[in-house]
Amino acid sequence: TRLEREIRAGLAQSAAAPFLSAFTLEFKEAAASSLDFLAIATFTGGGAEQYFAFRRLLQRLAVDACNAHDLVIPFNQITVHMADKV
C-alpha cells in the first residue's frame, strides 16, 4: 500500500535504517470511527538502546504518511449553537 511504502521510505532515511531487518503494515480492524492498522518493525539488537526513539519515529512516519494523503484522525466533535438574546 501507499502508506506502507511511505513509512518504509521514511525508515530507510532515518537513524533506524542500519538496524531495521523487517517492516510490515497490516490492517488490524474497523473500529467505530477509524480503520486501524498495525505497523510491525523488527530491528537488530544493535538498535536496542534506541527502542523508544524508533517507536516514536514509527508513529510519526505513520501520521505523516496519513496526512500526506489527507487521511485524518477522527475526533469526536460537539457543535454548540447559541440562541440570540431576545
Side-chain angles (χ1 to χ4, degrees), residues 20-47:
L20 182 66
S21 57
F23 174 74
T24 187
L25 185 71
E26 298 177 5
F27 178 72
K28 182 179 175 189
E29 64 185 336
S33 62
S34 65
L35 297 176
D36 298 348
F37 288 84
L38 179 64
I40 303 168
T42 304
F43 299 96
T44 62

Side-chain angles (χ1 to χ4, degrees), residues 5-85:
R5 285 191 303 269
E6 289 198 26
I7 295 169
R8 187 182 299 274
L11 286 168
Q13 297 172 0
S14 72
F19 308 105
L20 182 66
S21 57
F23 174 74
T24 187
L25 185 71
E26 298 177 5
F27 178 72
K28 182 179 175 189
E29 64 185 336
S33 62
S34 65
L35 297 176
D36 298 348
F37 288 84
L38 179 64
I40 303 168
T42 304
F43 299 96
T44 62
E49 289 182 14
Q50 299 177 63
Y51 170 79
F52 294 106
F54 292 168
R55 193 171 164 172
R56 290 189 304 273
L57 171 66
L58 196 55
Q59 291 176 13
R60 182 178 53 79
L61 291 172
V63 170
D64 289 349
C66 288
N67 287 337
H69 297 286
D70 296 322
L71 302 172
V72 296
I73 298 172
F75 293 100
N76 294 331
Q77 297 181 18
I78 296 175
T79 303
V80 177
H81 296 278
M82 303 295 288
D84 292 334
K85 291 186 179 184

